[in-house]
Amino acid sequence: MQVAVEVARPEAAEADVVAVPVVDPPSPLAGQAAELDRRLDGQLSRLVDEGEIRGRLDHVAVVHVNADGLPARRVALAGVGPREAIDADTLRTAAGAVARATRDFGRTVAWMLDDDLALPLPEQTRAVVEGTMLGGYDPGLWKTDGSDRRPSRRLVLWSDGDFDLARPAERARRVADWTNRARDLSNMPPNELTPERLAARASEIGEQFHTLTVEALGPDEMRELGMGSLGAVAQGSHNPPRLIVMRYEAPSPARDNLVLGLVGKAVTFDTGGISLKPALYMEDMKGDMSGGGAVVEAMGALADVECPINAIAVVGATENMPGGGAYRPGDILTAMNGKTIEVINTDAEGRLVLADALWYARQQGATHLLDLATLTGAMELALGDLYSGLFANDDEWGEQIVAAGEASGDHVWRFPLHPRYRRYIDSHFADMKNSSILRQGSPVLAAEFLREFTGEGPWAHLDIAGPAFFRYSRGDYLTQRGGTGFGVRLIVELADRLSGR
Ligand code: BES
Ligand code: MN
Ligand code: ZN
């Protein structure tokens, strides 16, 4: 869905639908809903009495109203749940529910922001824009039924407060749009989204902004650089790998000596390789590039909102395939930093991809590293579809990422690193092995593995295996199966906070 966002006073804009939040219980109506009810001579409170208007989160009642004073024929009463539980996520959920309930007739939706809710108006603005755009996303781009899956809509935010809401509204619109582009990448089938195709998307973004430069290294360049770890994962595939490098030079950087280094795992299809995965749900492994996809689109977002922080992105894009040329359990690889790795399981490929990408990002001048990867199934088992797991070698850096996650809606929960986990990946033959036969602590030991390749300085790792790609709806504003764009909003928020903006 393409959305144009405007801010207006209640009397100013014509709309197909006016949306207003309704707290549970709805009787008596409060805030803007009560205000609207007065303007409609009690039409709404009568519907509350009849049980048609509820207030339960995610419930939307669309009613037709007779109104002289109201520039719309319909009102969407959007349940936001109990007052004490209202936060940005609940408002996103309510806005997403309105977007879906009004899809067929709501070309223009006017949302009444509400002083009566405990959330500041700029935050409400952001939540309603995100909920509308992310909640209205349709992943069925490959259906041939002729219906328009990217309709353009107008979202008008009504407020009689004096805040400047146009800026947060436009910013949220842009960031949500980049987030939906990251979802498109995750949802693209693996026969379309090859490593080359992802690199082409990065170049396409680079062409939109003079502040962005994009290059993509191929297998020969990777070999010359000594990237034996990433190279091994890629060698079993007929589709050649790409190391996508994007550099963002901020127009006037707020922090001279800081370069945000974003690293992404982009395994465009993970079969497990010779350590083949079972068939059930293997199709979802097209989403194994979601970390890299989020990093690519987030770089576009940083350039688009002219974030005053310099950033470099390094995305390792490859397939993980079995075949005559594939790497094997038992192989010993030499990574770009010279360390050797015994392969135990070819399905633990993500950490091998990241090893060379992290080291390269540091070499290219990243001062603060953050990697995003759908790295371990156990992370999804532990945290489900809401939180991603965070591992950090620096407390301050870790805390900044948790805070940016909370503020952005991309939630993050910190897990431990500890040197005594290192023995899990001790190898008899090489410096380390890529997986343990112990079925314990797999997200932690994956993180301990990555730590070997992060060089000097703060680094954090987000294992996004749970929230990046849904097998089932989450039931909030992210209702769709497939990619969620997890990380795009967090990265922009983090970069903004680093700049002090
Ligand atoms: N891409 C998978 C992890 C994954 C699983 C992401 C399910 C999202 C949903 C990763 O490459 C993988 O296969 N990890 C293995 C590692 C193991 C072999 C040590 C895992 O977690 O099972
Ligand atoms: Mn794997
Ligand atoms: Zn994988």
Side-chain angles (χ1 to χ4, degrees):
M1 176 167 46
Q2 292 302 323
V3 175
V5 184
E6 301 158 34
V7 178
R9 290 188 168 270
E11 54 289 348
E14 294 276 319
D16 299 307
V17 192
V18 170
V20 66
V22 179
V23 175
D24 191 10
S27 185
L29 288 168
Q32 291 295 333
E35 183 70 29
L36 199 56
D37 189 39
R38 272 191 292 281
R39 278 165 70 177
L40 296 170
D41 302 322
Q43 289 177 68
L44 300 181
S45 37
R46 280 195 290 281
L47 292 169
V48 170
D49 294 341
E50 285 165 26
E52 201 167 328
I53 292 171
R54 310 270 276 278
R56 188 163 48 76
L57 181 60
D58 209 31
H59 181 268
V60 178
V62 180
V63 299
H64 285 245
V65 290
N66 309 316
D68 290 336
L70 196 70
R73 289 192 293 124
R74 302 181 194 87
V75 176
L77 295 119
V80 292
R83 186 174 291 281
E84 60 283 3
I86 293 169
D87 62 10
D89 273 348
T90 51
L91 211 52
R92 289 183 185 105
T93 299
V98 168
R100 289 188 301 281
T102 62
R103 183 189 304 268
D104 295 334
F105 48 82
R107 260 196 47 79
T108 299
V109 176
W111 250 95
M112 304 187 83
L113 303 177
D114 197 339
D115 267 332
D116 191 47
L117 306 178
L119 209 61
L121 288 179
E123 278 189 54
Q124 288 188 33
T125 298
R126 181 170 165 176
V128 168
V129 172
E130 288 179 2
T132 302
M133 294 179 66
L134 302 178
Y137 176 86
D138 185 339
L141 288 184
W142 291 266
K143 292 179 191 285
T144 59
D145 58 11
S147 67
D148 181 6
R149 288 171 202 283
R150 297 288 147 99
S152 55
R153 301 179 81 172
R154 239 171 97 227
L155 174 65
V156 183
L157 299 165
W158 280 4
S159 157
D160 37 25
D162 283 332
F163 285 93
D164 171 19
L165 298 178
R167 280 174 67 90
E170 175 58 14
R171 188 195 146 72
R173 187 194 68 75
R174 290 183 192 209
V175 177
D177 202 40
W178 290 102
T179 305
N180 279 341
R181 296 294 78 76
R183 296 169 87 177
D184 285 346
L185 290 176
S186 295
N187 292 333
M188 274 172 84
N191 56 335
E192 270 183 44
L193 190 77
T194 58
E196 284 172 287
R197 190 62 192 276
L198 184 60
R201 169 63 184 151
S203 303
E204 180 183 87
I205 295 170
E207 271 154 31
Q208 292 176 41
F209 303 100
H210 69 274
T211 49
L212 265 184
T213 51
V214 178
E215 61 178 328
L217 315 186
D220 297 338
E221 291 149 301
M222 290 179 203
R223 200 172 307 113
E224 273 163 38
L225 286 164
M227 296 185 166
S229 183
L230 167 57
V233 177
Q235 76 188 37
S237 174
H238 293 292
N239 287 310
R242 289 289 182 269
L243 189 80
I244 302 165
V245 183
M246 304 172 80
R247 290 183 178 82
Y248 170 59
E249 285 217 45
S252 45
R255 304 269 298 269
D256 275 341
N257 300 317
L258 192 151
V259 180
L260 177 61
L262 301 167
V263 172
K265 168 182 176 182
V267 173
T268 58
F269 194 69
D270 182 11
T271 67
I274 297 295
S275 315
L276 194 64
K277 286 182 182 295
L280 189 66
Y281 303 127
M282 204 205 272
E283 65 278 17
D284 282 5
M285 281 299 122
K286 71 176 180 178
D288 209 20
M289 39 53 64
S290 297
V295 165
V296 166
E297 299 297 332
M299 289 297 277
L302 292 179
D304 194 18
V305 304
E306 298 179 349
C307 181
I309 282 289
N310 291 324
I312 177 170
V314 179
V315 172
T318 177
E319 295 181 320
N320 184 24
M321 299 291 280
Y327 78 131
R328 324 152 188 76
D331 283 2
I332 293 179
L333 322 175
T334 304
M336 189 186 173
N337 71 347
K339 293 189 184 180
T340 56
I341 305 159
E342 181 191 5
V343 177
I344 301 298
N345 190 321
T346 63
D347 198 13
E349 86 298 341
R351 62 203 73 180
L352 298 174
V353 171
L354 291 173
D356 285 332
L358 282 163
W359 185 254
Y360 189 73
R362 194 66 99 186
Q363 286 229 316
Q364 294 295 307
T367 59
H368 292 63
L369 282 175
L370 172 63
D371 75 69
L372 288 87
T374 47
L375 207 61
T376 64
M379 199 79 260
E380 183 178 26
L381 291 180
L383 289 174
D385 55 13
L386 188 56
Y387 279 79
S388 73
L390 170 74
F391 300 83
N393 67 355
D394 180 286
D395 287 341
E396 195 188 331
W397 184 227
E399 279 155 24
Q400 282 174 305
I401 289 160
V402 171
E406 283 311 298
S408 69
D410 285 339
H411 299 287
V412 163
W413 195 264
R414 190 157 177 200
F415 278 70
L417 286 167
H418 196 291
R420 277 154 65 196
Y421 284 115
R422 177 58 176 77
R423 74 184 203 289
Y424 281 166
I425 52 169
D426 286 349
S427 160
H428 292 283
F429 306 106
D431 295 337
M432 71 197 89
K433 54 190 183 185
N434 80 329
S435 127
S436 156
I437 50 158
L438 288 176
R439 295 198 58 227
Q440 304 178 353
S442 117
V444 196
L445 71 86
E448 286 295 342
F449 180 96
L450 296 181
R451 203 213 290 240
E452 300 279 335
F453 304 92
T454 54
E456 294 294 314
W459 153 74
H461 156 59
L462 283 176
D463 191 335
I464 61 172
F469 192 95
F470 292 169
R471 187 164 298 153
Y472 310 104
S473 168
R474 194 164 75 186
D476 56 14
Y477 62 101
L478 293 177
T479 46
Q480 301 292 351
R481 171 165 156 68
T484 63
F486 186 99
V488 175
R489 287 180 292 159
L490 182 150
I491 288 168
V492 179
E493 181 70 31
L494 176 68
D496 253 6
R497 285 166 175 244
L498 287 173
S499 77
R501 190 152 84 164

